[in-house]
Amino acid sequence: DSGVTQTPKHLITATGQRVTLRCSPRSGDLSVYWYQQSLDQGLQFLIQYYNGEERAKGNILERFSAQQFPDLHSELNLSSLELGDSALYFCASSVLGQGASPLHFGNGTRLTVT
Amino acid sequence: SQKIEQNSEALNIQEGKTATLTCNYTNYSPAYLQWYRQDPGRGPVFLLLIRENEKEKRKERLKVTFDTTLKQSLFHITASQPADSATYLCALDPFSGGYNKLIFGAGTRLAVHP
């Protein structure tokens, strides 16, 4: 068990809808990362937060947004959903937000857009 | 362009043999490289980290090498077991000591047969 908790485990929704994915990092970790994994793309970095502040951004769509709250949990909001957004969304955490810090991943939220 | 390449074809080996997985990268100069294991439907699990000034790192039956001249890392599992069957991902931080924004390769699936 990595100590990173993601909810919900599965989410099925329709195109055009908006969903929120939630992540609780490992105790003591200050940095949270979001990754998207689809069959044809592999793990794609979306965004990183450190102690409540955005640190780094990947190829995150404008329809997607995230935040990290004072208690360090994070939420990823996906809006105007399209079929292509169907994927596994992983949250990871690390102690530090820089340097050679291993990432600890949750088991993901599987999003299906119909 | 910047790329991380891992063998896309599955690696099939016999139990007891050594598995060797390759990670090549282009147009990066990472200060370190990480290896993760991912089982189907689960989040990646951190295995090993190797820094640019380390030629080799070992952990139990695992060994990683890092050749910054060849821009390549090799991941070895000795005395492989069926339980080692999984997808193995390499990852690096393209900004060398920046915000730990890890970029992942697509992974190599390893199947160890009894």
Side-chain angles (χ1 to χ4, degrees):
Chain A
D1 183 8
S2 68
V4 177
T5 304
Q6 289 188 247
T7 57
K9 285 185 172 35
H10 303 277
L11 204 45
I12 302 174
T13 189
T15 53
Q17 295 298 305
R18 172 189 167 94
V19 296
T20 297
L21 313 184
R22 184 188 166 102
C23 170
S24 293
R26 218 171 52 133
S27 177
D29 285 358
L30 298 178
S31 199
V32 168
Y33 310 73
W34 286 97
Y35 281 84
Q36 179 192 56
Q37 188 175 43
S38 52
L39 279 173
D40 58 345
Q41 290 281 335
L43 264 175
Q44 299 292 313
F45 172 76
L46 294 179
I47 197 163
Q48 178 201 1
Y49 283 84
Y50 179 76
N51 207 19
E53 293 192 6
E54 183 184 305
R55 268 285 175 94
K57 238 175 177 175
N59 295 327
I60 186 167
L61 299 172
E62 283 192 12
R63 300 183 286 109
F64 296 2
S65 64
Q67 59 185 127
Q68 185 180 29
F69 294 87
D71 67 354
L72 301 178
H73 92 270
S74 178
E75 292 181 357
L76 178 67
N77 300 296
L78 315 176
S79 61
S80 303
L81 285 167
E82 302 175 358
L83 295 177
D85 297 328
S86 296
L88 260 174
Y89 290 84
F90 287 106
C91 168
S93 70
S94 68
V95 173
L96 301 175
Q98 61 185 36
S101 235
L103 300 189
H104 302 274
F105 283 82
N107 282 324
T109 293
R110 183 174 293 280
L111 174 66
T112 303
V113 183
T114 61
Chain B
S1 64
Q2 297 174 318
K3 273 196 288 192
I4 302 173
E5 292 182 335
Q6 296 187 254
N7 293 348
S8 56
E9 291 182 16
L11 180 63
N12 290 283
I13 64 167
Q14 210 65 32
E15 182 176 7
K17 301 290 187 188
T18 296
T20 298
L21 286 68
T22 305
C23 176
N24 295 300
Y25 57 93
T26 55
N27 296 326
Y28 291 119
S29 296
Y32 56 88
L33 194 143
Q34 302 186 25
W35 283 88
Y36 289 76
R37 169 188 172 137
Q38 186 174 23
D39 292 284
R42 312 278 289 184
V45 174
F46 171 74
L47 296 174
L48 279 170
L49 181 151
I50 185 165
R51 299 176 190 276
E52 61 180 340
N53 60 351
E54 298 173 315
K55 295 297 183 194
E56 180 180 298
K57 199 93 171 266
R58 291 176 186 261
K59 179 183 171 183
E60 297 169 358
R61 294 184 296 110
L62 309 181
K63 184 178 87 170
V64 173
T65 62
F66 192 11
D67 189 326
T68 55
T69 302
L70 289 179
K71 293 187 179 294
Q72 181 182 78
S73 176
L74 299 178
F75 178 82
H76 307 271
I77 305 176
T78 58
S80 60
Q81 304 164 1
D84 296 326
S85 300
T87 296
Y88 291 85
L89 307 167
C90 70
L92 55 84
D93 178 354
F95 298 109
S96 290
Y99 293 131
N100 206 34
K101 171 187 160 182
L102 285 184
I103 307 298
F104 284 80
T108 298
R109 192 161 60 83
L110 172 66
V112 181
H113 302 283

